[in-house]
C-alpha cells in the first residue's frame, strides 16, 4: 500500500521563493528509503505557501526519514523561512 503525504508549508511573508529553492534541491526521483517521489508546488494565490506531495511505502518510513533529517539539522534552513508545517497522510481508496 502506498501512502500519499501532503505537506503544506506556510512561509514567512516574502519567503515562499526561498522555501521553494530549498525544497527543489530534493530530486523528484531519489534514493530515499521508502520514498517513491516528491513534487513541490507554489500556491498561485499565496506565493508564501508551498505544497509538497510525497509518495511513501508507509507512514513509518516517512517518520523514520523525518526523524533522521531533524536529528542532523536538515530541517533547520527550511524552518528559518516557515511559520507552520502541516502534514497529512492519505491512503488510496482503490488500494
Amino acid at each position: 500500500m502506498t501512502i500519499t503525504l501532503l505537506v503544506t508549508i506556510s512561509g514567512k511573508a516574502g519567503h515562499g521563493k526561498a522555501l521553494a529553492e530549498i525544497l527543489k534541491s530534493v530530486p523528484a526521483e531519489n534514493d530515499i528509503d521508502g520514498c517513491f517521489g516528491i513534487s513541490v508546488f507554489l500556491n498561485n494565490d499565496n506565493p508564501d505557501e508551498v505544497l509538497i506531495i510525497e509518495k511513501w511505502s508507509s507512514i513509518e518510513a516517512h517518520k523514520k526519514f523525518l526523524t533522521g533529517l531533524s536529528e542532523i539539522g536538515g530541517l533547520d534552513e527550511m524552518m528559518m523561512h516557515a511559520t507552520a508545517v502541516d502534514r497529512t497522510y492519505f491512503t488510496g481508496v482503490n488500494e
Side-chain angles (χ1 to χ4, degrees), residues 1-22:
M1 168 180 5
T2 301
I3 299 296
T4 299
L5 170 61
L6 299 185
V7 182
T8 304
I9 304 172
S10 299
K12 295 176 182 175
H15 288 245
K17 287 185 181 181
L19 279 169
E21 285 297 315
I22 293 165

Side-chain angles (χ1 to χ4, degrees), residues 27-59:
E29 301 299 324
N30 57 66
D31 60 357
I32 299 169
D33 189 35
C35 182
F36 304 127
I38 297 173
S39 299
V40 180
F41 304 88
L42 275 175
N43 182 329
N44 289 331
D45 295 324
N46 178 358
D48 293 320
E49 184 176 77
V50 176
L51 173 68
I52 308 169
I53 301 175
E54 304 179 17
K55 298 285 187 174
W56 288 88
S57 60
S58 67
I59 294 171

